[in-house]
Amino acid sequence: MSLRAWLDRLAETVRTPAERAEEAERTRQILEERTGRDPAASDVGADAALARRISETTSTRPNYSPFKPVTNNVNASALTVRP
């Protein structure tokens, strides 16, 4: 496939900013109909509660990292393979 053909095919799949805005508005309306509230509106109480929960979680486990191994009280000699 030539570069020109590939770019033409790509251009057919890319939406314009107006099309993306229309889809976002339709999605917002659908969510509002289903849940009874506007998802674009800010909920100060919910935002504050979420910020508080995040703060509590990060302050109670300051050394936690998903990339560091968790050490348990495991007997290392039980894990070694003996010939």
Side-chain angles (χ1 to χ4, degrees), residues 52-72:
R52 180 183 52 77
R53 301 271 315 263
I54 290 172
S55 175
E56 289 173 358
T57 302
T58 56
S59 67
T60 58
R61 298 191 66 165
N63 296 326
Y64 173 74
S65 171
F67 302 107
K68 292 181 182 176
V70 177
T71 56
N72 294 329

Side-chain angles (χ1 to χ4, degrees), residues 7-52:
L7 290 173
D8 287 340
R9 183 178 285 180
L10 180 63
E12 291 174 6
T13 62
V14 175
R15 294 174 294 167
T16 65
E19 291 170 333
R20 289 194 304 265
E22 288 174 11
E23 183 177 357
E25 179 59 24
R26 282 193 310 270
T27 303
R28 188 196 63 74
Q29 289 174 355
I30 290 169
L31 287 171
E32 187 175 11
E33 289 172 6
R34 290 185 181 179
T35 63
R37 66 179 207 85
D38 185 5
S42 178
D43 186 352
V44 177
D47 292 344
L50 180 60
R52 180 183 52 77

